[in-house]
Amino acid sequence: MCMNMIKENNRKLEKEIYLGNAEDIAKFILGKILVHKSPEGITKGMIVETEAYLGEKDKGSHTYNNRRTKRTEIQYKEGGYAYVYFIYGMYYCFNIVTNKAEKAEAVLIRALEPVEGLELMKARRKNDNILKLANGPGKLCTAMGITREHNGMDLCSDILYLEYPENDVEHQIEASKRINIDYAEEAKDYLLRFTIKGNKYVSI
DNA sequence: CGGAAGATTTCT
DNA sequence: GAAATCTTCCGA
């Protein structure tokens, strides 16, 4: 019997994982690996920082009051899809759609610790500092090569998905206020940002 | 159809 | 502290 016959595929997070609520998933995926298989090569990064957006009742969310537009439509699907939007004329942000259909919740991935494909990530970012390759939502999309083409993509596909880490290191979760949503009134104080405590790759 | 604003990053 | 830069959305 070979002890190392675990296929790479077996590590992929199951669809059911994404059907829970955004806050639970934001915490759950800390320490998991984001994988993108692009024509240029494979890049992987461990998720170290996330933010939950709760839709209807969350003034920080694009889907506050169930606002339904061409851009936000994907969030109304059931969990397990990518929500990628363009921001400030220059950057993309990568989110994971969560919960059941018509529950427009999502988890923003804010920072990664680079794991594989570091040379490709450096080239895309035009920066050699590993600490700063993916320590912010716009930066990680550049490093991973995520663009509008990935909007609406199924995260159970073989192109873009999450997997369980090979060595599941224990970590503590720290909650804090979300970043750059000063307009969100009372919602800006919600503790919906989650980081791996002490990790050097978080954005701030 | 015009204009304002944005879940950011980078440089001064 | 402010610029870079453009899609999306809302009001007229």
Side-chain angles (χ1 to χ4, degrees):
Chain A
M1 277 284 273
C2 176
M3 305 283 277
N4 298 316
M5 278 298 286
I6 298 175
K7 285 177 69 178
E8 198 180 353
N9 285 348
N10 290 353
R11 300 195 165 287
K12 197 180 295 179
L13 266 68
E14 303 82 356
K15 175 93 176 169
E16 294 73 44
I17 299 283
Y18 301 111
L19 302 181
N21 72 69
E23 185 172 350
D24 287 345
I25 293 167
K27 292 182 223 174
F28 180 77
I29 63 176
L30 288 174
K32 305 297 184 289
I33 310 296
L34 176 65
V35 182
H36 180 210
K37 294 181 181 173
S38 80
E40 305 163 283
I42 298 179
T43 46
K44 298 188 184 187
M46 184 175 76
I47 297 168
V48 300
E49 176 176 346
T50 59
E51 282 181 3
Y53 286 86
L54 306 185
E56 185 178 5
K57 297 196 171 61
D58 180 359
K59 288 183 180 166
S61 173
H62 290 163
T63 50
Y64 171 61
N65 217 9
N66 277 332
R67 196 158 59 111
R68 200 156 186 150
T69 65
K70 189 176 158 194
R71 183 175 68 153
T72 62
E73 188 62 31
I74 189 66
Q75 290 203 55
Y76 290 86
K77 290 244 228 181
E78 78 274 16
Y81 292 94
Y83 170 45
V84 181
Y85 62 88
F86 192 56
I87 189 76
Y88 300 123
M90 332 183 67
Y91 300 104
Y92 293 98
C93 289
F94 172 68
N95 299 247
I96 295 173
V97 176
T98 66
N99 218 316
K100 298 186 275 264
E102 300 306 312
K103 287 271 195 180
E105 299 186 355
V107 175
L108 170 67
I109 309 299
R110 287 193 56 88
L112 301 173
E113 174 176 333
V115 170
E116 192 178 315
L118 292 232
E119 293 310 312
L120 180 53
M121 293 171 96
K122 287 176 186 172
R124 282 172 173 155
R125 288 269 299 121
K126 298 177 172 41
N127 190 329
D128 279 350
N129 186 338
I130 296 174
L131 283 172
K132 296 180 179 174
L133 275 184
N135 63 333
K139 295 180 198 174
L140 77 87
C141 283
T142 304
M144 296 291 287
I146 295 173
T147 70
R148 74 183 67 228
E149 293 169 30
H150 300 88
N151 190 40
M153 191 169 276
D154 186 343
L155 294 176
C156 294
S157 71
D158 284 315
I159 309 287
L160 185 66
Y161 58 90
L162 268 62
E163 64 181 18
Y164 294 98
E166 290 182 43
N167 305 307
D168 207 346
V169 183
E170 248 184 77
H171 59 258
Q172 288 187 312
I173 295 174
E174 195 161 48
S176 53
K177 293 180 187 181
R178 292 176 293 180
I179 309 290
N180 277 340
I181 53 164
D182 293 342
Y183 56 84
E185 301 175 31
E186 81 280 355
K188 71 177 163 52
D189 292 327
Y190 295 170
L191 297 176
L192 292 176
R193 171 174 179 252
F194 304 101
T195 53
I196 291 182
K197 192 171 183 180
N199 188 283
K200 297 186 182 67
Y201 295 86
V202 301
S203 65
I204 298 179

